[in-house]
């Protein structure tokens, strides 16, 4: 359906069920397109006092509304539009109030009435609100410490103050344990003891094994290796003899060559002397 068709459909549905408190119906498509800018969201927030939304669309609204709806605590409240008692549900939401409990601090605020109401009506609303808060909160024992009454411009006036000093102190809380819990605790303790005993026995056995190994290991005796010096000395001697033989051989040959050369020189000298003597003895011819 288009946006106009959805508006017509839900207006007829609310008229048939007898709901007359709703002034305008905004489809999800229109909210996503026309109310996307920041100024349009601020204008929408200031034009209406309360917003209701279908359960099927509630999870998609935070990303399209913005943070200002949640800061002013005007975020839409979810309603089941398919319920048979739609008028009663919407009337209870409009006439009722909502308490938000968060992890930010320990104070919560609830709207219980307006200035046109009488004192008796306000006291009845306060008593009903306190009873529902105590029953809905998932905590044991006394929860509420102080109750204040405040308007938008006035100072907070305390109307109830409990002496709950034990809330700020840490005490050991004793709880009645069922027999099943006791059995589980006993089993856990027995398992812990068994594991501890096994660990201790394993450690003792390991120590014994280590001590036995240390005792059984014999002391190592150094083995005398055979001396290689005699072999090395024989080889050195052989090498020295070979070198000496090699050195002697060329010296003899050189000596022989030197003797031959001396003999040749002497022969040549002797020959020169004989020739000179012969020349002198030759007679001169006139």
């Amino acid at each position: 359906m288009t946006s106009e068709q959805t508006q017509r459909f839900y207006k007829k549905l609310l008229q048939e069920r007898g709901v007359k408190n709703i002034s305008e119906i905004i489809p999800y498509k229109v909210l996503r397109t026309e109310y996307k800018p920041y100024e349009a969201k601020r204008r929408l927030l200031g034009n209406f006092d309360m917003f209701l939304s279908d359960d099927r669309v509630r999870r998609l609204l935070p990303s399209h509304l913005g943070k200002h709806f949640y800061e002013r605590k005007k975020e839409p409240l979810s309603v089941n539009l398919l319920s048979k008692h739609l008028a009663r549900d919407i009337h209870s939401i409009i006439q009722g109030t909502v308490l938000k409990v968060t992890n930010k601090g320990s104070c919560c605020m609830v709207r219980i009435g307006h200035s046109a109401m009488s004192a008796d009506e306000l006291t009845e609303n306060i008593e009903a609100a306190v009873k529902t808060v105590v029953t809905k909160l998932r905590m044991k024992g006394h929860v509420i410490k102080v109750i204040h009454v405040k308007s938008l411009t006035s100072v907070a006036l305390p109307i109830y103050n409990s002496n709950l000093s034990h809330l700020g102190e840490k005490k050991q809380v004793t709880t009645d344990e069922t027999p099943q819990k006791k059995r589980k605790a006993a089993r856990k303790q027995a398992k812990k003891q068994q594991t501890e005993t096994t660990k201790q026995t394993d450690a003792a056995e390991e120590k014994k094994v280590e001590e036995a190994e240390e005792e059984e290991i014999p002391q190592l005796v150094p083995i005398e290796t055979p001396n290689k010096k005699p072999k090395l000395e024989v080889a050195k001697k052989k090498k020295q003899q070979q070198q000496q033989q090699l050195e002697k051989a060329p010296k003899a040959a050189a000596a022989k060559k030197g003797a031959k050369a001396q003999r040749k020189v002497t022969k040549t000298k002797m020959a020169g002397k004989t020739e000179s003597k012969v020349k002198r003895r030759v007679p001169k011819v006139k």
Side-chain angles (χ1 to χ4, degrees), residues 205-222:
E205 288 178 356
E206 287 179 356
K207 286 181 180 179
K208 287 180 180 179
V209 171
E210 289 178 356
E211 290 177 356
E213 288 179 353
E214 288 178 357
E215 290 178 356
E216 289 176 357
I217 292 169
Q219 294 182 356
L220 297 173
V221 180

Side-chain angles (χ1 to χ4, degrees), residues 19-286:
V19 179
K20 298 179 181 180
N21 297 323
I22 293 168
S23 60
E24 188 175 349
I25 296 169
I26 300 170
Y28 177 70
K29 292 180 181 178
V30 175
L31 179 68
R32 192 174 60 184
T33 56
E34 294 183 4
Y35 292 95
K36 189 174 182 180
Y38 176 75
E39 294 177 355
K41 291 177 183 177
R42 293 292 298 273
R43 212 176 295 133
L44 178 66
L45 182 63
N47 290 334
F48 301 98
D49 296 328
M50 185 180 287
F51 297 91
L52 303 176
S53 67
D54 191 2
D55 289 334
R56 295 168 290 181
V57 188
R58 177 68 181 79
R59 63 186 179 82
L60 303 173
L61 296 178
S63 61
H64 299 289
L65 292 175
K67 63 180 181 180
H68 295 284
F69 279 82
Y70 295 91
E71 287 178 354
R72 294 190 182 182
K73 297 180 181 180
K74 281 189 178 183
E75 65 273 14
L77 303 173
S78 60
V79 181
N80 187 9
L81 296 175
L82 300 175
S83 67
K84 295 178 180 180
H85 305 284
L86 182 61
R88 186 185 66 185
D89 296 340
I90 291 171
H91 182 73
S92 63
I93 290 168
I94 292 168
Q95 296 296 325
T97 185
V98 179
L99 173 66
K100 292 182 180 179
V101 180
T102 60
N103 295 326
K104 297 178 180 179
S106 60
C107 297
C108 300
M109 189 177 289
V110 186
R111 292 179 182 177
I112 56 164
H114 52 83
S115 59
M117 296 174 71
S118 63
D120 295 332
E121 291 174 351
L122 292 172
T123 52
E124 288 178 0
N125 289 340
I126 290 166
E127 289 176 358
V130 170
K131 287 179 182 178
T132 52
V133 167
V134 170
T135 55
K136 294 288 183 180
L137 287 175
R138 297 178 181 178
M139 295 178 71
K140 293 181 180 180
H142 299 287
V143 178
I144 298 170
K145 188 174 182 179
V146 182
I147 298 173
H148 296 275
V149 177
K150 184 182 180 301
S151 67
L152 293 173
T153 58
S154 68
V155 182
L157 301 173
I159 59 173
Y160 173 78
N161 189 3
S162 65
N163 189 12
L164 296 176
S165 60
H166 64 278
L167 291 175
E169 297 176 357
K170 292 182 179 180
K171 292 185 178 180
Q172 294 180 355
V173 180
T174 57
T175 57
D176 296 332
E177 293 182 353
T178 58
Q180 293 180 355
K181 290 183 179 179
K182 289 180 180 179
R183 288 173 188 172
K184 288 181 180 179
R187 288 174 185 172
K188 287 181 180 179
Q189 289 180 357
K191 286 181 180 179
K192 286 181 180 179
Q193 289 177 358
Q194 287 179 359
T195 53
E196 288 177 357
T197 52
T198 51
K199 286 180 180 179
Q200 289 177 0
T201 52
D202 292 335
E205 288 178 356
E206 287 179 356
K207 286 181 180 179
K208 287 180 180 179
V209 171
E210 289 178 356
E211 290 177 356
E213 288 179 353
E214 288 178 357
E215 290 178 356
E216 289 176 357
I217 292 169
Q219 294 182 356
L220 297 173
V221 180
I223 299 168
E224 294 181 357
T225 56
N227 292 323
K228 295 182 179 180
K229 289 182 179 180
K231 291 183 179 179
L232 294 171
E233 290 177 355
V234 172
K236 285 180 180 180
K237 286 179 180 180
K238 286 181 179 179
K239 286 182 181 179
Q240 289 177 359
Q241 289 176 0
Q242 289 176 359
Q243 288 178 359
Q244 289 176 0
Q245 289 176 0
L246 292 171
E247 289 176 356
K248 288 177 180 179
K251 284 180 180 179
K256 288 179 181 179
K257 288 179 180 179
K260 288 180 180 179
Q262 287 178 359
R263 288 175 186 173
K264 287 180 181 178
V265 171
T266 53
K267 285 180 179 179
T268 53
K269 286 181 179 180
M270 293 296 289
K273 287 179 181 180
T274 54
E275 287 177 357
S276 64
K277 287 179 181 178
V278 170
K279 287 178 181 179
R280 287 176 184 175
R281 287 177 183 177
V282 174
K284 294 179 182 180
V285 179
K286 293 180 179 181

